[in-house]
Amino acid sequence: MLEYNEVRNNFNGEGKVIEGLVQVAQRIVKAASEISPFPISLTDESGYIIGDSDSSRIGTLHSPSSFVLKQNKLILFDEQTISKMKNVLPGIAVPLIFDNKTLGVLGIIGDPEKVEPHVKLVKKYVEMMWQETIFRQSKQLEKRTEETFIQYILLNEKVNKETVEKFCEILHINCKINRFCIVVDIGDSLVNRVGEKQISLDHLKDVLIDHTLKIFNCKENAICTFLNTGKMVLLKPIPSDEVYIKTMEQFSYQSRKLMEKFLNYQIYNMAISAGDQSSSLVSINKSYHEAERLIKVGNELELLPRIYNYYNWDILLVLITSQIETKLQDKLEFRLKALIEHSDFKELANNFMVYCSNSMNISSTAKELYIHRNTLIYRLKKIEKITTLDTSCFEHCTFLYLILKNHMSKLKK
């Protein structure tokens, strides 16, 4: 269960800063040593060394650091000053500042007079690296939290409204605006690239998310993240029904552009779908499941291109045929048993389906089938005799078309 207090605590700034400094201290020391002719050390707010040019000192108490933190100013330690101190080397110690708070100490080891000209440069460099690293870690934490939150609201049938609103507050997300869900299924494309050295998986995900946001023309309040390595979701804000309709009109074009862009990253055989609108994040899972179902139906029926949404009439037609209840379909097929079991069923059914796709026009259908129009008329009359349906009647043709469409879809599975 997603816990609000746990994530809230993870966003506690000062705690994450200290933790981040501990994790990257040695890397900072190594980088700073390249611009400093003197060894350096880093201590935390409790006075313990967490980074040092001499790694054997890491974890030991450096008592003067506490004094530096209290004074919050640069202090020189010459040979006479340190003569009675334990684990202290000559040099200069200066407080490190993050977000206007003193949370650590930089020590530059050597003759104070020789060290002093280098203090400001090394201090600024260390603070810059420190802040950049912590910022990057904070962004990663925020991204992981967002991923967990989106998984919670999309993959659970019911969510707690109060929990959703609290997390929206943490992540600075507007909860109460219309959105719809776009699912981008990339299969095993990323999994198959694990271990490649050219680009990290996290960086590649960020790049793909940026392309998705740009191509679908997302600005404020859009949420785009990975649910797992094979599936990305975009929760796109929609201010009105009119905008939604316009967005759906552009959906196929934008999806094709995204597929073309993803080819540059060796991502093939994608599927992209869109669900209907939802009034808030509390109910957005309905839009997600609609989009997922479209992909499932599209895969089962091998529909191409693999771009699906409810604004597409062809998709709606497929959904209508697939929505016929099993018991009703069985009854309908029993009624048409004589046709389905006829030795010429495949030919008759195919001719009839082409006849429907040509708007029940005899001449056009015969031309497409490369048969004489009288041959087509004979076969249609044969269907009428077997089924007692009138192939010149639009309602009868629609009825037979839907039954045969569903029947043939089942045969493909």
Side-chain angles (χ1 to χ4, degrees):
M1 177 68 179
L2 200 60
E3 294 294 340
Y4 168 71
N5 289 332
E6 180 182 345
V7 176
R8 181 190 61 190
N9 292 337
N10 283 341
F11 272 81
N12 181 279
E14 186 171 325
K16 295 312 293 183
V17 168
I18 292 299
E19 179 184 334
L21 183 57
V22 171
Q23 293 174 350
V24 303
Q26 273 301 87
R27 187 169 70 85
I28 292 176
V29 166
K30 182 178 179 181
S33 295
E34 295 178 1
I35 67 165
S36 171
F38 304 98
I40 67 173
S41 67
L42 295 176
T43 61
D44 63 16
E45 62 177 352
S46 299
Y48 284 92
I49 297 176
I50 56 175
D52 199 291
S53 300
D54 177 3
S55 59
S56 65
R57 300 182 72 210
I58 295 176
T60 61
L61 181 64
H62 189 261
S63 54
S65 292
S66 299
F67 180 68
V68 175
L69 288 166
K70 288 179 181 178
Q71 295 293 316
N72 197 28
K73 64 180 183 180
L74 180 151
I75 297 179
L76 281 66
F77 294 90
D78 56 24
E79 292 288 352
Q80 183 178 355
T81 304
I82 67 168
S83 60
K84 295 182 180 181
M85 293 181 175
K86 185 179 179 181
N87 193 32
V88 181
L89 299 173
I92 294 178
V94 60
L96 292 170
I97 310 299
F98 183 84
D99 281 349
N100 298 316
K101 294 181 180 179
T102 304
L103 298 175
V105 174
L106 165 68
I108 305 179
I109 303 164
D111 183 343
E113 291 186 1
K114 295 180 180 179
V115 166
E116 191 167 13
H118 301 272
V119 172
K120 288 185 178 180
L121 174 62
V122 177
K123 170 182 162 65
K124 287 293 182 184
Y125 184 77
V126 169
E127 287 177 339
M128 181 185 69
M129 283 198 66
W130 179 6
Q131 294 189 47
E132 179 185 347
T133 301
I134 300 309
F135 174 77
R136 187 164 57 249
Q137 288 184 339
S138 296
K139 294 300 290 184
Q140 290 173 348
L141 172 64
E142 184 175 352
K143 184 171 68 174
R144 288 195 299 270
T145 303
E146 183 179 83
E147 287 178 358
T148 302
F149 173 57
I150 298 304
Q151 289 168 358
Y152 169 68
I153 63 174
L154 295 185
L155 303 181
N156 288 283
E157 290 186 11
K158 293 183 178 180
V159 296
N160 183 281
K161 182 179 179 182
E162 185 177 337
T163 299
V164 172
E165 290 175 348
K166 285 180 178 178
F167 274 96
C168 286
E169 183 179 349
I170 289 175
L171 297 167
H172 308 294
I173 294 173
N174 188 335
C175 176
K176 299 176 182 179
I177 58 174
N178 281 16
R179 287 185 172 88
F180 72 97
C181 181
I182 296 174
V183 173
V184 181
D185 192 325
I186 61 174
D188 296 331
S189 298
L190 293 189
V191 174
N192 295 335
R193 298 188 64 176
V194 172
E196 292 185 8
K197 295 182 180 179
Q198 294 92 332
I199 185 171
S200 74
L201 196 58
D202 285 339
H203 179 64
L204 179 56
K205 283 183 177 181
D206 290 341
V207 170
L208 298 179
I209 287 173
D210 287 342
H211 284 312
T212 302
L213 289 169
K214 183 176 180 180
I215 287 175
F216 282 107
N217 195 29
C218 297
K219 297 178 182 177
E220 295 181 359
N221 295 312
I223 305 169
C224 190
T225 186
F226 275 83
L227 281 183
N228 51 55
T229 53
K231 194 170 298 177
M232 185 196 310
V233 291
L234 169 60
L235 307 184
K236 183 174 170 64
I238 293 295
S240 66
D241 289 346
E242 290 74 20
V243 173
Y244 177 71
I245 292 172
K246 186 175 181 180
T247 302
M248 288 298 97
E249 289 173 346
Q250 299 171 340
F251 183 73
S252 292
Y253 170 73
Q254 292 173 328
S255 295
R256 285 194 294 271
K257 281 187 64 178
L258 188 66
M259 288 177 169
E260 291 172 4
K261 179 64 70 172
F262 277 27
L263 287 175
N264 296 330
Y265 303 93
Q266 292 78 54
I267 296 174
Y268 312 104
N269 199 31
M270 295 170 55
I272 306 176
S273 64
D276 207 348
Q277 298 181 80
S278 175
S279 59
S280 79
L281 288 178
V282 175
S283 57
I284 193 69
N285 59 346
K286 293 179 182 178
S287 180
Y288 165 73
H289 288 298
E290 287 173 349
E292 280 282 58
R293 184 173 176 280
L294 285 175
I295 291 179
K296 182 180 178 181
V297 172
N299 289 341
E300 289 175 349
L301 301 179
E302 299 179 352
L303 299 178
L304 296 174
R306 300 181 70 200
I307 299 170
Y308 319 116
N309 68 84
Y310 287 105
Y311 199 75
N312 185 313
W313 285 116
D314 293 331
I315 296 295
L316 288 174
L317 179 60
V318 170
L319 288 175
I320 289 172
T321 59
S322 66
Q323 285 296 305
I324 299 176
E325 185 184 5
T326 302
K327 289 183 179 180
L328 177 58
Q329 178 69 18
D330 291 342
K331 286 181 170 58
L332 294 172
E333 289 187 11
F334 179 79
R335 180 65 182 80
L336 295 175
K337 184 177 180 180
L339 175 62
I340 292 172
E341 293 183 353
H342 195 281
S343 58
D344 295 329
F345 171 69
K346 286 185 178 179
E347 181 179 64
L348 293 173
N350 176 63
N351 286 186
F352 176 75
M353 300 299 277
V354 175
Y355 171 65
C356 290
S357 66
N358 278 275
S359 305
M360 300 168 60
N361 184 289
I362 296 290
S363 298
S364 299
T365 305
K367 185 177 181 180
E368 182 174 335
L369 291 171
Y370 297 102
I371 61 176
H372 194 279
R373 67 191 312 275
N374 289 339
T375 302
L376 176 62
I377 292 172
Y378 169 77
R379 291 174 181 172
L380 292 175
K381 291 296 182 182
K382 193 172 185 178
I383 291 174
E384 291 181 358
K385 183 177 180 181
I386 297 170
T387 64
T388 69
L389 292 169
D390 183 358
T391 58
S392 64
C393 173
F394 174 78
E395 288 83 359
H396 283 201
C397 283
T398 302
F399 182 68
L400 181 57
Y401 178 88
L402 292 175
I403 299 171
L404 292 179
K405 186 83 172 176
N406 198 17
H407 177 76
M408 288 190 273
S409 296
K410 290 196 301 182
L411 292 179
K412 288 182 180 180
K413 296 180 182 179

